[in-house]
Amino acid sequence: MKKTISKSTWMTLLCTAALLVLVVLLENVLDPNKNIMVFTALKKGAVYALVAVSMNLLNGFTGLFSLGQAGFMLLGAYTYAILTIPVSQRDAVYYIYNGSAVNFSLPELLGGGAFGLVLGVVLALILGGCAAAAVAWLIGLPVLRLKSDYLAIATLGFGEIIRAVFQWDKLGPVTNGANALKNFPTFSSFNIQNAGGETVLRLSTFTAFLLAGICIAVIVLLINSTYGRSFKAIRDDEVAAEAMGINLSKHKRLAFVISSFFAGVGGGMFAMFANQAQAKTFTTAMTYEILLIVVIGGIGSVSGSCIAAFLYVAASEWWLRFLDAETFVGGFKVPLLRNGFRMVVFSVVIMIVVLFFRRGIMGDKELPDLFKKRRKEKAK
């Protein structure tokens, strides 16, 4: 048994390393201007994969139906942006409020340069996750007493409230009101340039994959730990779990806080991807997108959430985009092709996937499980 687990772990690590190398090669071989949609889909897919896995930890592995993911992403995005905007740019960003109430930048505090940038960005993302986790702990005290649909409605309401609060004009010197926060480090800030300012090594997509990969790896380790087994026991049967000595309220709150922490980190990464942080971006529709990814991938499957995230983003942002453009063939206009038709076709595709894959693409299985199944079939 130990030998099989060791092989699966090594295979997973090798595949992850190969994927990171492939991403670096693609980013530096392909022209980013001609293939902008490719890298947009890859970076957004990496961010959505992390947030989907964080939601799956709560919905799929603990059995708590929460719809507050967009609200926690908002907290992480704003915390990251506020802490990383350079001091010299704050007057320009907060021009309506005569400057910012926060007069420091983490990358600059940590010495600036490449070292300060890396350490400052990582620390800001962690603090963004901590902000989301702290709020999750507070609202979890009353909210986690609710179950199923009631919990979903309560967390959905939290997302709407937090979005309204961050646009409140009184908080303008901190949040910039309803205006966007900009000019903070993004994924492109990690591209390596020479003395003349020319990019010699592009690492923006690699950075997104690396950050998401590390976070997902931590979640996988948690799921496979004793805490993860307790979460699954609560999901399967709360009465039996409590009879076995599992503290239900403690473990539910722990799962809720950890899920929110990684959603906050994902929110900071989304701000890096979008080059701005604005409350109106983190709507209920974003939460539904993440939930849809979890369902398509398979509730209770980390691999499924990751695969579904990239498929969802690629299909919605890239592969079906030609359907939005009016097309003429020999002077004849192709019917239906117009702005918005892409989402109609995309909705039909999702309905077909859900109908034929009732348990999602992966069900509750992981990629290593498929390799084990093939080895057993070959052995027979």
Side-chain angles (χ1 to χ4, degrees), residues 82-87 90 102-113 115-117 119-121 123 127:
I82 291 166
L83 294 176
T84 55
I85 296 174
V87 175
R90 289 185 180 268
V102 180
N103 295 312
F104 67 89
S105 171
L106 283 180
E108 293 174 352
L109 277 180
L110 295 169
F115 178 79
L117 173 67
L119 200 57
V121 165
L123 183 57
L127 290 174

Side-chain angles (χ1 to χ4, degrees), residues 105-151:
S105 171
L106 283 180
E108 293 174 352
L109 277 180
L110 295 169
F115 178 79
L117 173 67
V118 173
L119 200 57
V121 165
V122 171
L123 183 57
L125 287 173
I126 292 173
L127 290 174
C130 289
V135 173
W137 186 83
L138 288 173
I139 69 168
L141 293 173
V143 164
L144 290 178
R145 297 176 184 272
L146 304 172
K147 293 184 179 181
S148 63
D149 296 344
Y150 299 103
L151 175 60

Side-chain angles (χ1 to χ4, degrees), residues 81-378:
I82 291 166
L83 294 176
T84 55
I85 296 174
V87 175
S88 61
Q89 300 291 327
R90 289 185 180 268
D91 288 339
V93 174
Y94 290 85
Y95 67 94
I96 293 179
Y97 300 98
N98 299 317
S100 170
V102 180
N103 295 312
F104 67 89
S105 171
L106 283 180
E108 293 174 352
L109 277 180
L110 295 169
F115 178 79
L117 173 67
V118 173
L119 200 57
V121 165
V122 171
L123 183 57
L125 287 173
I126 292 173
L127 290 174
C130 289
V135 173
W137 186 83
L138 288 173
I139 69 168
L141 293 173
V143 164
L144 290 178
R145 297 176 184 272
L146 304 172
K147 293 184 179 181
S148 63
D149 296 344
Y150 299 103
L151 175 60
I153 292 168
T155 51
L156 187 64
F158 155 74
E160 292 299 307
I161 291 169
I162 203 73
R163 184 158 58 90
V165 168
F166 270 70
Q167 295 180 87
W168 187 28
D169 197 57
K170 296 290 185 181
L171 291 177
V174 178
T175 64
N176 207 21
N179 307 292
L181 293 174
K182 300 179 179 180
N183 301 341
F184 47 78
T186 63
F187 290 133
S188 299
S189 303
F190 291 88
N191 292 336
I192 298 175
Q193 299 178 332
N194 58 20
E198 190 178 333
T199 301
V200 294
L201 183 63
R202 297 185 185 90
L203 295 174
S204 60
T205 309
F206 168 80
T207 303
F209 270 68
L210 182 64
L211 290 171
I214 291 172
C215 292
I216 291 171
V218 173
I219 295 174
V220 170
L221 290 174
L222 174 68
I223 290 170
N224 292 325
S225 69
T226 53
Y227 285 104
R229 287 190 283 274
S230 298
F231 295 158
K232 293 174 187 176
I234 293 171
R235 175 197 63 190
D236 295 336
D237 192 325
E238 288 192 10
V239 176
E242 191 171 25
M244 291 170 62
I246 296 173
N247 188 323
L248 296 183
S249 60
K250 173 188 172 183
H251 283 83
K252 284 182 179 180
R253 193 175 302 119
L254 183 63
F256 191 54
V257 168
I258 294 172
S259 173
S260 303
F261 172 84
F262 286 107
V265 174
M269 290 176 61
F270 187 85
M272 295 175 72
F273 160 75
N275 298 334
Q276 66 175 21
Q278 193 167 16
K280 68 179 184 180
T281 306
F282 300 92
T283 60
T284 305
M286 179 178 282
T287 297
Y288 292 152
E289 281 186 322
I290 304 301
L291 179 61
L292 187 59
I293 288 170
V294 172
V295 172
I296 292 173
I299 297 177
S301 172
V302 174
S303 304
S305 294
C306 295
I307 293 169
F310 286 100
L311 291 176
Y312 180 91
V313 172
S316 61
E317 301 282 344
W318 176 22
W319 294 338
L320 300 178
R321 187 165 288 274
F322 72 95
L323 296 172
D324 279 348
E326 293 184 355
T327 305
F328 291 85
V329 179
F332 175 74
K333 182 181 176 182
V334 179
L336 298 178
L337 296 187
R338 65 190 67 181
N339 188 31
F341 186 61
R342 167 173 57 102
M343 297 311 297
V344 175
V345 175
F346 183 58
S347 300
V348 174
V349 171
I350 289 173
M351 289 173 63
I352 292 171
V353 171
V354 172
L355 284 172
F356 286 93
F357 294 90
R358 295 293 179 89
R359 299 186 62 198
I361 296 171
M362 295 292 293
D364 58 354
K365 305 295 182 184
E366 303 292 350
L367 285 176
D369 296 334
L370 300 181
F371 294 129
K372 290 178 187 177
K373 187 176 179 181
R374 285 187 179 181
R375 283 200 299 268
K376 287 180 180 178
E377 289 176 353
K378 287 181 180 179

